[in-house]
Amino acid sequence: MANKSSTSTKFDAPLSHSTNKATHNRDQFFVWREFVWGAIAGAFGEGMMHPIDTIKTRIQSQVLLSGSQQSQKSIVQMVQTVWVADGLRGFYRGIAPGITGSLATGATYFGFIESTKKWIEESHPNLGGHWAHFIAGAVGDTLGSFVYVPCEVMKQRMQVQGSSNSWNSAIMKDKMQMKSGAEMYGYYTGMFQAGHSIWKEQGLKGLYAGYWSTLARDVPFAGLMVMFYEALKDLTEKGRQKWAPNFHVDGSMEGLILGGLAGGFSAYLTTPLDVIKTRLQVQGSSTSYNGWLDAMNKIWKTEGAKGMFRGSIPRITWYIPASALTFMAVEFLREQFNKKLDDDNMQEVTSLSIEKPKSSFKEVA
């Protein structure tokens, strides 16, 4: 520093260095912030809508569990069945692994989407567009699948079982068709016992049952949902600028409405993939289906299009409010905390910019 000849050089260098460093840290923190918001929002949506997911899972699993296509229960009948057999607890069976999986997927989904959007905006603007959103959502969801799939397996088996009494009576009544007369699987008392039991009986393969079918469902679903959401946001913004330029759109309300629409569209289009995934994950050691293609083949041949779209109404009924609540929560967290955190970081930048030049000036003097 003593070799420098001008005071201005000594004064400007620390200012530039500290400002760039603080700004860089702020930008990095902004990306990781989205992982936190996504995790909270994902868990919130799952927790609120878990009872409907339980009904959807049971409806899609009826044929597999009863071994017959006859006397399939409707949504209302299934709700009555769960209520009579298990009460309120029956609707919330499997909620612990459900929330755990949603924490992981929500974090990677929203975190990766926002990180990708920022990377595209700053470094590769030519890659922008709705397909970029589709790819970002698909990749983000895939990253979360390593935690989500085992949690989904545990959750769905616990949802199907209900209470121990209703599970045991269902096995006796319906005489489920199992390989060599073996039991489908034992009753799970909780998330950790379920995971340990599946690991002990079927190993890693059991915990990741239906992994590829889950990706086959969730990758297009996740991509479609964020693509629809961003497209609807763009459409809404263009409409606002054209018809009501002075009208302020609340981010949380926008997330609630557009998130619900995006989730509903995507859920219906991917229902056949969800049916296949559910059947594979619920069957346990049964030999009903030997892989994804075999399941698709058998469902189509024996049940037709009706079987492929079985449970579509409760699936849509679940995803519209679940997606709406999730996107609303994300937008709310962004509005409430991002500005405050940005302001705090700017104050830190300002403080560093003032203090370091003073120090440099004293050295010159």
Side-chain angles (χ1 to χ4, degrees):
M1 194 175 272
N3 294 330
K4 298 286 183 182
S5 57
S6 70
T7 305
S8 61
T9 305
K10 292 172 178 280
F11 187 89
D12 291 338
L15 174 61
S16 175
H17 175 73
S18 60
T19 302
N20 290 339
K21 183 177 180 181
T23 303
H24 174 74
N25 289 338
R26 176 166 59 91
D27 290 342
Q28 292 297 319
F29 182 66
F30 174 79
V31 173
W32 285 106
R33 191 186 304 170
E34 295 296 331
F35 285 82
V36 177
W37 302 160
I40 295 172
F44 175 69
E46 167 65 28
M48 293 290 289
M49 302 307 302
H50 188 80
I52 296 176
D53 184 57
T54 297
I55 299 302
K56 181 219 56 140
T57 299
R58 288 205 175 196
I59 285 176
Q60 291 180 337
S61 306
Q62 288 181 95
V63 173
L64 179 64
L65 297 177
S66 65
S68 171
Q69 295 182 44
Q70 304 300 319
S71 303
Q72 295 295 298
K73 293 183 176 68
S74 66
I75 295 173
V76 175
Q77 289 173 331
M78 186 59 75
V79 171
Q80 291 175 336
T81 298
V82 175
W83 178 259
V84 170
D86 303 316
L88 190 62
R89 285 182 59 191
F91 294 99
Y92 285 93
R93 276 284 290 170
I95 192 170
I99 288 179
T100 303
S102 294
L103 280 168
T105 306
T108 56
Y109 184 65
F110 286 100
F112 198 83
I113 286 171
E114 292 305 314
S115 300
T116 304
K117 282 170 63 177
K118 184 178 176 183
W119 175 73
I120 289 173
E121 288 171 3
E122 295 184 356
S123 305
H124 300 80
N126 57 313
L127 297 177
H130 297 310
W131 280 110
H133 296 144
F134 180 93
I135 294 170
V139 173
D141 197 84
T142 301
L143 292 174
S145 68
F146 296 108
V147 175
Y148 173 75
V149 172
C151 289
E152 183 78 351
V153 171
M154 290 183 279
K155 180 194 79 172
Q156 292 197 323
R157 292 190 184 183
M158 292 172 72
Q159 285 175 319
V160 167
Q161 289 180 336
S163 68
S164 58
N165 290 335
S166 62
W167 177 241
N168 292 331
S169 64
I171 292 176
M172 295 298 294
K173 180 181 178 181
D174 296 324
K175 297 179 182 179
M176 300 175 193
Q177 299 173 351
M178 302 296 142
K179 184 178 180 181
S180 304
E183 281 192 4
M184 196 174 194
Y185 38 76
Y187 183 75
Y188 304 136
T189 58
M191 175 179 170
F192 294 107
Q193 189 270 333
H196 180 264
S197 178
I198 296 170
W199 174 269
K200 187 177 179 181
E201 293 172 10
Q202 298 175 271
L204 199 63
K205 185 179 179 180
L207 285 171
Y208 281 90
Y211 179 76
W212 296 112
S213 63
T214 301
L215 287 188
R217 179 201 68 172
D218 287 353
V219 166
F221 171 80
L224 284 171
M225 185 164 67
V226 70
M227 187 174 74
F228 282 142
Y229 182 70
E230 293 293 341
L232 288 169
K233 280 185 73 174
D234 290 345
L235 192 63
T236 302
E237 181 60 22
K238 287 178 182 177
R240 188 190 67 80
Q241 290 178 358
K242 184 177 181 179
W243 304 107
N246 297 323
F247 179 73
H248 172 69
V249 180
D250 181 73
S252 299
M253 187 58 62
E254 185 181 55
L256 182 73
I257 297 171
L258 302 187
L261 290 173
F265 293 150
S266 306
Y268 180 75
L269 292 173
T270 55
T271 296
L273 305 174
D274 184 52
V275 172
I276 295 169
K277 179 203 75 75
T278 300
R279 299 273 182 97
L280 288 171
Q281 290 183 326
V282 167
Q283 69 176 345
S285 57
S286 165
T287 56
S288 299
Y289 306 115
N290 185 26
W292 196 87
L293 290 175
D294 181 59
M296 181 178 67
N297 232 3
K298 287 181 178 177
I299 294 170
W300 178 257
K301 285 182 178 179
T302 58
E303 303 173 58
K306 185 178 180 181
M308 295 299 288
F309 280 89
R310 195 177 298 280
S312 60
I313 294 177
R315 176 169 164 79
I316 294 169
T317 304
W318 188 90
Y319 266 108
I320 288 177
S323 301
L325 290 170
T326 299
F327 278 98
M328 181 193 72
V330 166
E331 296 293 354
F332 173 79
L333 290 166
R334 287 172 180 165
E335 285 187 340
Q336 295 298 313
F337 297 104
N338 280 4
K339 188 176 186 304
K340 184 179 183 303
L341 291 170
D342 285 338
D343 289 343
D344 290 344
N345 286 328
M346 285 304 296
Q347 289 177 5
E348 183 183 349
V349 171
T350 304
S351 176
L352 288 169
S353 301
I354 293 173
E355 290 174 5
K356 292 216 171 183
K358 282 183 178 179
S359 173
S360 301
F361 185 78
K362 286 179 181 179
E363 290 178 19
V364 176

